[in-house]
Amino acid sequence: MRKKLAIIGNGMATGRLLDELIRRDALSQFEITVFGEEAHGCYNRILLNRVLLGGAVDDITLKTAAWYAENGIKLRTGAVVNRLSHAAHRLWTADGQEHYFDTAVFATGSIPRLPPIEGVKTPDGKWKDGVAVYRTAADCERMRSFAKSGRPAVVVGGGLLGLEAAKGLADLGMSVTLLHLFDTLMNRQVDKIGAVMLRRAIERLGITVRTGANTKAVLGAKRAEAVLLGGDERVSADLVVFASGVKPRIDLAQQSDVPTNAGILVDDRLQTVLPGLYAVGECAEHNRQTYGTVQPVYEQCTVLADVLTGANPNARYRGSKVYTRLKVVGIEVASMGDIDAKDADDEVVQVIEEKRGVYRKLIIRNDRLAGAVLVGDASAAAGLARRFERGDSLPANRLDLFASTDRAAEPVGGAVCNCHQVNEPTILSAVRSGCRTLQDLAARTGAGTGCGGCRGQLASLLLKAGKQPATVSN
Ligand SMILES: Cc1cc2nc3c(=O)[nH]c(=O)nc-3n(C[C@H](O)[C@H](O)[C@H](O)COP(=O)(O)OP(=O)(O)OC[C@H]3O[C@@H](n4cnc5c(N)ncnc54)[C@H](O)[C@@H]3O)c2cc1C
């Protein structure tokens, strides 16, 4: 008799977890049911800007409804789990249906963090017309419904998502003002010098940037008309988008007496303190750390699949090294680890090319890469990320690290596309069996269709094999 495994949430963590479970023949042990609040099969949230620009959710879907059925997995879409009892081994969806489970996994992701701002919602608790957040496909459709070419928009938040939202709205023809509370853009990933270069690049796109801007209220009785800043300044806006960070979605865990802090607390096996209850992805907090990018989420999924199936009973999650890359077309930014020196002995290497708008910085500790910031030219990012991940010792001439000929940083049969776990042998085998372009590789292996950070490397593998790469559009 198969045990019942319930997965709550159907986002990117669940999509990857299902792949990992199937790879380990989990369906011979478990009857799997996925409860997803959203209306779709799992989609690639990283590519949501395509929906903002008018694409269909189908274009970024990772798993169609048919996929779940074909793989013997029960999918409940539009199903919010609003109650769970560990003692009774049961959960309930908002429509009142009860479901038994032996094992349950929270994969509830994150929700947008909203600063304390007045006038965002109507008295009945709904979003005011012209106000939106940037997290789901429905959010993008909402943004699009209020976006009118030539009209003013405000994006609140100058981090990764804020920059992406601002560029998307500018591409839709809106006149965009980006408001950021802190003094520099992407202040968590980019140091002060890099942020100056980044700001210039964003302004070149026609986006107005206001840093140190304290947004106090959205003005407009029925719909957004303007944003009120500290000092009582008004910035006109038909559309106000909040992209000011995320926080783990822990409401269900809290109501179900599952211990939480910022996220749902898990151990190295991704298990909560309650046996048989696990958490994975952005909702999970491991070792006082929560994550907001997909690579750590995928690393957790591998461990959890090993643990749940018993494929590797010793599998343990030890935390992830974080690597961030901005996907705004025309602006290259990559960041990993520390962005400023921390220890007195830290070595800092900085190369500033004012005219080209290029800035590259390395933080080196004990001859290992402790962090890097690249703005304007991120061609060295993949190699640096690998050295950062592996903890390699570094060449004596540190500038060699920026060269495309940095052979030591090339993968040794390791993952090229981290988003889809595609390694170099798989790419080369796809090339041998006829793939000629980046599109071919994407269709055959999925490589390059996640964050896109590996496309340069895929292109060099094609070139190495004597093929002419063609670009995959963003
Ligand atoms: C616009 C955008 C761009 C991004 N770009 C990048 C990028 O370039 N690189 C990168 O690494 N990361 C990026 N990210 C982050 C990346 O998408 C996340 O790290 C990833 O989606 C996390 O996966 P998850 O499954 O933990 O959460 P999610 O993908 O958010 O999935 C959680 C799902 O659970 C559902 N859910 C929650 N509670 C319940 C409940 N009680 N019942 C039923 N369902 C529930 C939610 O509706 C949601 O569908 C981006 C995110 C956004 C929004």
Side-chain angles (χ1 to χ4, degrees), residues 73-125:
I73 294 162
K74 287 187 193 153
L75 171 64
R76 298 272 323 272
T77 51
V80 182
V81 177
N82 62 3
R83 198 151 71 88
L84 179 146
S85 164
H86 176 251
H89 284 262
R90 279 174 174 75
L91 60 79
W92 291 265
T93 45
D95 59 7
Q97 289 197 42
E98 179 181 288
H99 298 266
Y100 175 86
F101 63 82
D102 296 291
T103 302
V105 177
F106 288 88
T108 50
S110 291
I111 47 170
R113 185 186 291 280
L114 265 191
I117 287 173
E118 285 174 31
V120 170
K121 294 196 174 172
T122 55
D124 57 356

Side-chain angles (χ1 to χ4, degrees), residues 9 11-13 37-38 45 79 81 108-109 135 161 282 293-294 327:
M12 295 189 76
E37 175 185 44
E38 294 186 72
R45 207 171 292 286
V81 177
T108 50
R135 178 74 195 175
L161 294 189
E282 286 194 1
T293 52
V294 86
K327 308 188 297 295

